[in-house]
Amino acid sequence: RGLGGSWGMASSILGRILAIVLAVAAAGRLGLGVIAYRTANALERPSYSVVRQLGGGVELRRYSPYLIAETSVRADSMREASGKGFREVAGYVFGKNRPATKMAMTAPVRMSSDPRGGVPSTTRVSFVLEKSYSRRTAPAPLRGQDVRVRSVAPHLLAARSFSGPPPSEKRVSSERQRVLDALSAAGLRPASDGETLLYGYHDPFITPSFMRKNEVAVRVEDSAAEVRAS
């Protein structure tokens, strides 16, 4: 009986120690996540102006031109394509280029897909390059590297932001429909029937999911958009 009591007390103490260790670990994990969140928020992003707020939390934006490094991946889903595409473009940005220049990270990581071509479809994964670069001054991809540098022309974009982990195909489709519904209610039309843009502003590993910012967006026909901006 005495031995049982001692064992019970020891178990209780060990349980409390384990709870404290886990609480400290969780606090440390959250602290690192907050640092990662703030770091990502300070990254350079493409310039845009807000044309108007649409219904359903959708924002209509006019983007200035910017430069991207892009690769194409054949995959059954955008999520499946993201890993390979991220590694390919990240390699280029972080020094696998000519002349081995390590460029700064920017935001967002962009993905675009048009499923009308069937499954697997082609997903384009891209990083935005720093504004200090032009097509002429940007480092060249290595020979055989599946990366190209190209300009993104000025455009109108309807985007809806939401938090959470990298979204599933079902979530992307649902958010895209919300964007389309908002455009329809505003008398605007998408520039493409099938293209979907997915933007991720925070890493999927350190930043807590509830702090991560995702956006699903579609390009918008430019005609009459400014007239309807009021």
Side-chain angles (χ1 to χ4, degrees):
R1 191 172 172 182
L3 183 60
S6 298
W7 174 250
M9 182 178 294
S11 297
S12 176
I13 292 172
L14 286 174
R16 291 177 184 177
I17 292 174
L18 180 59
I20 292 171
V21 170
L22 290 176
V24 170
R29 170 72 173 79
L30 181 59
L32 288 174
V34 170
I35 292 172
Y37 171 81
R38 291 175 176 172
T39 300
N41 284 350
L43 296 178
E44 185 177 300
R45 301 181 181 186
S47 298
Y48 68 83
S49 59
V50 177
V51 177
R52 61 182 291 198
Q53 298 292 337
L54 305 180
V58 177
E59 190 170 73
L60 184 65
R61 306 168 181 167
R62 182 173 294 281
Y63 276 82
S64 300
Y66 58 92
L67 205 62
I68 61 172
E70 180 179 72
T71 191
S72 297
V73 181
R74 293 281 288 176
D76 291 339
S77 67
M78 296 178 83
R79 177 180 282 183
E80 182 182 328
S82 64
K84 180 180 178 181
F86 184 94
R87 289 190 296 271
E88 187 74 22
V89 186
Y92 163 80
V93 169
F94 298 139
K96 292 183 179 179
N97 56 56
R98 300 194 308 271
T101 300
K102 292 184 179 180
M103 293 173 273
M105 188 65 185
T106 61
V109 174
R110 306 165 73 257
M111 288 194 290
S112 63
S113 181
D114 188 339
R116 291 177 299 174
V119 177
S121 61
T122 298
T123 296
R124 291 175 293 174
V125 182
S126 59
F127 286 14
V128 178
L129 298 189
E130 297 169 83
K131 294 173 183 175
S132 58
Y133 289 109
S134 66
R135 286 288 302 276
R136 184 178 61 83
T137 62
L142 299 177
R143 182 169 299 178
Q145 194 175 28
D146 188 19
V147 173
R148 66 173 182 145
V149 176
R150 71 176 181 88
S151 299
V152 176
H155 59 281
L156 278 180
L157 193 78
R160 188 175 189 280
S161 303
F162 56 97
S163 61
S168 64
E169 296 298 297
K170 183 178 180 180
R171 179 68 186 271
V172 172
S173 178
S174 173
E175 296 294 339
R176 185 179 192 277
Q177 188 57 53
R178 292 186 181 187
V179 174
L180 294 179
D181 290 345
L183 288 177
S184 178
L188 300 171
R189 293 185 298 179
S192 168
D193 290 335
E195 183 186 34
T196 302
L197 294 161
L198 174 61
Y199 294 168
Y201 290 84
H202 302 90
D203 73 277
F205 307 111
I206 302 176
T207 303
S209 289
F210 72 89
M211 299 177 73
R212 293 187 72 258
K213 178 182 178 180
N214 307 292
E215 289 183 336
V216 168
V218 299
R219 294 178 186 268
V220 180
E221 282 190 358
D222 213 341
S223 60
E226 293 288 3
V227 176
R228 298 189 179 101
S230 58

